[in-house]
Amino acid sequence: MYFKLFIYVILAMSSGPMWAADAARIVFAAGQALVGTRGALVGDTVREGELLSTGGDGYLYLETLDKGFFILRPNSAGQIVTYQIDPVNPANSRIKLELKSGVARHISGDAVKKSRNNFRFNTPVAAVGVRGTDFTVFADQDKTRIAVLSGGVVVSPLTELCVATGFGPCDGPSSRELFASAVGQVLQINKGQIPVILQGTDQSPDVTTPPRNDEPVVSKQGSRSVTSNPTTLAATSLSLDTLKTNLIGQLASQADAMPSTGSPLLIWGRWQVLVNQGIEVDVAALQAKNQLIATNNYFAVLRNNETTWQRPVQNSLGFSLQQSQAVILDESSRQLTQAKIENGQLQIDLARASFLTKFDLVSQSERFQLQNSGEVSSDGKLFGGNQFLRPNNMDVRGALANDSSAAAYIFQSRLDDRRIATGVTAWGK
């Protein structure tokens, strides 16, 4: 009897993912995306050790237990090896992710931020530790390339001194750091070699496999600047050869564009030809006197930088919708359909450094109710909350005018498994 019980215990301990703990939840899946051998379904739980894979058209977004993200792009394979969180004593937490091949993105959750010394992201040739929160990785059996969107990473070759079974960064003479402040740099490590810094973004994981339009967007800590998805493919004929980290900066518009708002404080509009409509905002020309606040495939918001934002005396600000533009992209047909916005609301609570906005997006006979609650930074910028955490269902990035008399933001929302809504809104009192 005791011998049989011993055998059962041994089998349970060696059975892998069947006995593993929950690690994440699927918040988005498209194309060929698998968890083990089963198709990935939104809402399903992913457990430690389960193999994650995507095909040529596959995308998989996982929200981890601590509200972080692990994202696999097409032709990729990886797994959440361990996700053990101790909220009382973060030093006891153990978190490990692995990218076997392809391109993945990691956005650190709360537990990772509190226990960075216990976090590890492995590839076949490298061990990645975090100094920050957001990075993308390309991996095959011979090399790894990393681009940092926010914070920083420390990378070391996997050797007998830095083994794949370990946790935390492998600091030492063979390690190398890369921070988001090093704009236009990519860290590469070949098998068994010391990591090196590559200049230019041509070899960035985002260029190798671009993100979808709806990949999560986060703000950089400290500087509070907006992080966009700069290498996202537009619906127009941009080729992979033209993809760069700062797509806007390379736009060479021949038009003498005027801002849609007609105001020198906030400028918004189309920087890209859209549904047979020309360019309104020549971002390259306007950046001499304006700061680029936010951009997506079609629209941009800029704010005058000759003065600084002044916090108003009142804590509560209410705005009504003045102007807007919106389109809906069908990803399967690449068809764009114009939409309009109704019943807009924007409320700012400066005492809580927060905002709430909502509106109806109307297209033909359909009506979608979109909303987001987010934060207002110390310099008057608007950072939307996570669009995948209800009741939020869109991403928002924008700013208040320097005198707080107006506001503008771009938005993006996944309406269903094939359609994405994108637009820009201008608000006044």
Side-chain angles (χ1 to χ4, degrees):
M1 176 67 180
Y2 290 110
F3 178 77
K4 288 183 178 180
L5 179 60
F6 175 78
I7 294 297
Y8 292 153
V9 171
I10 293 298
L11 289 174
M13 292 176 62
S14 62
S15 58
M18 181 181 296
W19 299 92
D22 293 348
R25 179 176 62 91
I26 300 172
V27 295
F28 178 76
Q32 183 182 356
L34 301 176
V35 179
T37 58
R38 71 183 189 274
L41 297 176
V42 173
D44 279 3
T45 296
V46 173
R47 301 175 73 82
E48 294 175 322
E50 290 191 294
L51 179 64
L52 310 168
S53 59
T54 57
D57 62 346
Y59 291 83
L60 186 59
Y61 298 1
L62 305 182
E63 182 189 45
T64 58
L65 291 177
D66 59 340
K67 307 303 181 184
F69 280 95
F70 183 42
I71 295 169
L72 290 183
R73 296 180 187 165
N75 295 317
S76 301
Q79 64 181 150
I80 300 176
V81 180
T82 304
Y83 225 93
Q84 301 294 330
I85 297 173
D86 187 337
V88 177
N89 186 0
N92 293 331
S93 297
R94 294 292 183 271
I95 300 169
K96 183 184 293 184
L97 308 178
E98 182 180 28
L99 176 63
K100 299 177 181 295
S101 62
V103 172
R105 180 178 173 194
H106 175 259
I107 303 173
S108 296
D110 295 335
V112 174
K113 295 173 185 176
K114 294 176 181 178
S115 56
R116 295 175 181 176
N117 288 334
N118 301 327
F119 170 85
R120 171 74 70 82
F121 188 113
N122 282 337
T123 72
V125 303
V128 183
V130 291
R131 302 282 195 250
T133 59
D134 191 354
F135 59 93
T136 56
V137 182
F138 162 83
D140 60 22
Q141 295 302 307
D142 299 312
K143 62 182 174 296
T144 292
R145 290 195 295 267
I146 302 170
V148 181
L149 302 175
S150 177
V153 296
V154 55
V155 182
S156 303
L158 288 176
T159 65
E160 59 184 11
L161 299 178
C162 180
V163 294
T165 55
F167 285 88
C170 294
D171 289 304
S174 297
S175 63
R176 191 76 180 265
E177 292 181 332
L178 179 66
F179 291 88
S181 57
V183 178
Q185 293 186 350
V186 175
L187 193 152
Q188 177 170 301
I189 178 170
N190 294 323
K191 186 174 182 179
Q193 298 183 14
I194 296 175
V196 296
I197 299 295
L198 304 178
Q199 299 294 332
T201 60
D202 290 346
Q203 299 186 71
S204 169
D206 284 344
V207 172
T208 302
T209 308
R212 286 174 60 94
N213 295 345
D214 57 4
E215 197 165 283
V217 177
V218 297
S219 59
K220 296 180 182 179
Q221 299 298 318
S223 67
R224 308 305 301 160
S225 61
V226 174
T227 301
S228 63
N229 289 332
T231 54
T232 305
L233 279 172
T236 53
S237 58
L238 290 176
S239 68
L240 284 176
D241 292 335
T242 65
L243 288 172
K244 300 293 180 181
T245 298
N246 190 0
L247 192 59
I248 286 286
Q250 296 185 1
L251 176 65
S253 170
Q254 300 301 317
D256 184 14
M258 292 297 294
S260 293
T261 60
S263 166
L265 300 179
L266 278 176
I267 299 171
W268 65 273
R270 295 183 303 275
W271 70 271
Q272 185 72 276
V273 176
L274 179 61
V275 195
N276 297 322
Q277 295 178 316
I279 295 171
E280 298 174 306
V281 177
D282 184 349
V283 175
L286 290 168
Q287 279 189 285
K289 294 184 178 181
N290 300 275
Q291 179 187 10
L292 180 61
I293 297 295
T295 182
N296 55 29
N297 283 348
Y298 315 115
F299 305 105
V301 173
L302 300 95
R303 185 171 68 180
N304 184 270
N305 60 15
E306 295 181 310
T307 59
T308 58
W309 183 73
Q310 299 295 321
R311 189 187 191 280
V313 176
Q314 65 271 36
N315 285 323
S316 181
L317 303 174
F319 296 92
S320 59
L321 185 65
Q322 302 295 310
Q323 299 182 65
S324 63
Q325 297 182 39
V327 293
I328 297 175
L329 170 66
D330 186 316
E331 293 180 301
S332 59
S333 65
R334 306 307 296 172
Q335 180 179 355
L336 283 167
T337 304
Q338 289 186 317
K340 60 181 179 178
I341 295 175
E342 299 177 353
N343 304 321
Q345 299 179 38
L346 174 59
Q347 296 290 327
I348 307 290
D349 186 343
L350 294 177
R352 297 183 178 180
S354 65
F355 73 87
L356 172 65
T357 186
K358 59 178 65 176
F359 55 78
D360 292 345
L361 181 75
V362 182
S363 175
Q364 300 174 351
S365 62
E366 293 183 286
R367 182 178 293 269
F368 305 90
Q369 295 180 331
L370 304 183
Q371 72 176 69
N372 189 279
S373 59
E375 62 178 281
V376 182
S377 68
S378 59
D379 57 354
K381 295 175 185 175
L382 307 178
F383 295 91
N386 190 328
Q387 66 172 311
F388 294 103
L389 296 181
R390 302 303 181 197
N392 292 342
N393 57 5
M394 67 173 172
D395 175 56
V396 167
R397 290 165 286 150
L400 294 165
N402 288 331
D403 63 356
S404 297
S405 64
Y409 65 72
I410 60 173
F411 71 88
Q412 192 160 272
S413 175
R414 172 155 289 284
L415 304 179
D416 51 38
D417 60 355
R418 62 183 177 84
R419 292 182 298 172
I420 293 176
T422 304
V424 61
T425 60
W427 306 79
K429 293 184 178 181

